[in-house]
Amino acid sequence: MVRLSIGFIGTGRIAQALISGLSHDPNIVICGYDKMPDALHSVSLQYGVNAEESIESLARDAKIIVIAVKPYQMAEVLAELKPALHGQHLIVSVAAGISTGFIESSCPDGTRVVRVMPNTPAFVGEGMAALCKGMHATADDLLVAEQIFNAIGKTAIIEESGMDAATAVSGSGPAYMFRIIDSLAEGGEACGLDRETAQILAAQTMLGAAKMVLSGRKSPEELVRDVTTPGGTTEAGLQAMEQRDLRGALIDTVRAAAARSKELMK
């Protein structure tokens, strides 16, 4: 990675996960601004982030500006940022439901924007981030954003039309995984395990299964067949899942989250 100057507007949880992953790279200089001085001071001490007094000063010191604020704060931040922007800036937004078009309309003409949907496993270096570019962003801009988010996990470049689906699958997805882990652990507890052991068994099993899928050697359906013996325990469990239509429930879960994401879009 070439030497980068990255500024974070907002130093909350996702920003801290990114800063943590990037702070060990000697080719990256990080600065930050937060309207909560105590939060900024804490991040500055922990990660060596240069604390900025204003959004304007951050824009002077950073060519890549990561906006990591709540969606309802976006318009106010962009209004304050706009006078300080110039053609060398790249805007990277992680605000859910905020389109590249909305950001571009609030910035000087030609502003390059990359929109990102990260997720909370970024805190343990296993994040999944979906990226799309705005009207003026280049392939190189996407590459830079991809390198940034690869510091905390994996990335996928998609069209913006797919961001609602990506939000539903990976942005909201950790909550679904947590619920599944909790349910498996509860089942284990009902069958005689203590809660802590059941939870470890469920969580590590999900982690291992995910790594097998990510290896790309076999599809999920092939992996299901590999672990299922006719008349065995896995088959009995799968039959119970099919009777409750777990597959259909999860598909509907993604559809509901995607529909809500579309409703919130601006």
Side-chain angles (χ1 to χ4, degrees):
M1 183 185 288
V2 296
R3 188 168 181 81
L4 300 176
S5 57
I6 303 176
F8 287 83
I9 299 178
T11 57
R13 288 169 58 80
I14 289 296
Q16 287 181 38
L18 262 175
I19 291 168
S20 175
L22 295 169
S23 61
H24 304 294
D25 191 326
N27 293 313
I28 295 177
V29 177
I30 303 173
C31 60
Y33 169 79
D34 198 302
K35 66 177 183 179
M36 305 295 291
D38 289 346
L40 179 58
H41 181 67
S42 175
V43 171
S44 179
L45 285 178
Q46 186 170 0
Y47 299 110
V49 171
N50 298 322
E52 300 285 353
E53 296 182 353
S54 66
I55 287 178
E56 182 181 10
S57 67
L58 180 140
R60 284 199 302 266
D61 292 338
K63 295 297 186 291
I64 300 168
I65 300 175
V66 180
I67 304 180
V69 300
K70 300 294 186 184
Y72 70 87
Q73 298 172 313
M74 197 65 163
E76 179 183 350
V77 166
L78 290 172
E80 190 171 348
L81 178 62
K82 181 177 180 178
L85 292 177
H86 54 70
Q88 294 184 359
H89 281 121
L90 169 64
I91 303 297
V92 178
S93 168
V94 299
I98 304 297
S99 68
T100 59
F102 177 85
I103 297 171
E104 289 165 349
S105 69
S106 305
C107 294
D109 291 344
T111 297
R112 293 142 48 223
V113 178
V114 173
R115 178 183 169 194
V116 183
M117 171 49 64
N119 66 9
T120 55
F123 293 107
V124 292
E126 294 291 350
M128 183 66 231
L131 291 73
C132 68
K133 69 184 186 71
M135 182 182 301
H136 307 293
T138 66
D140 285 343
D141 294 330
L142 265 181
L143 180 60
V144 168
E146 188 177 22
Q147 289 174 325
I148 291 171
F149 283 86
N150 279 339
I152 54 171
K154 296 183 181 296
T155 56
I157 295 175
I158 64 174
E159 296 295 326
E160 188 157 19
S161 59
M163 285 299 266
D164 292 321
T167 298
V169 174
S170 62
S172 301
Y176 316 149
M177 302 301 109
F178 299 147
R179 183 59 57 83
I180 291 170
I181 290 171
D182 190 55
S183 298
L184 289 172
E186 188 172 339
E189 192 175 15
C191 294
L193 293 171
D194 66 85
R195 181 66 184 193
E196 182 178 1
T197 299
Q199 186 165 295
I200 291 171
L201 288 171
Q204 180 61 33
T205 297
M206 179 173 282
L207 175 62
K211 286 187 174 182
M212 290 180 75
V213 172
L214 289 172
S215 74
R217 297 187 183 95
K218 293 184 178 182
S219 70
E221 193 55 42
E222 289 173 320
L223 292 167
V224 168
R225 290 197 296 269
D226 286 349
V227 84
T228 305
T229 301
T233 59
T234 304
E235 184 177 69
L238 289 171
Q239 287 174 351
M241 289 172 61
E242 290 168 4
Q243 288 169 3
R244 295 297 186 96
D245 193 21
L246 180 62
R247 179 189 290 271
L250 290 174
I251 292 171
D252 287 347
T253 295
V254 172
R255 285 175 172 160
R260 183 57 177 158
S261 176
K262 194 178 295 293
E263 290 173 358
L264 295 172
M265 176 68 68
K266 67 177 181 177

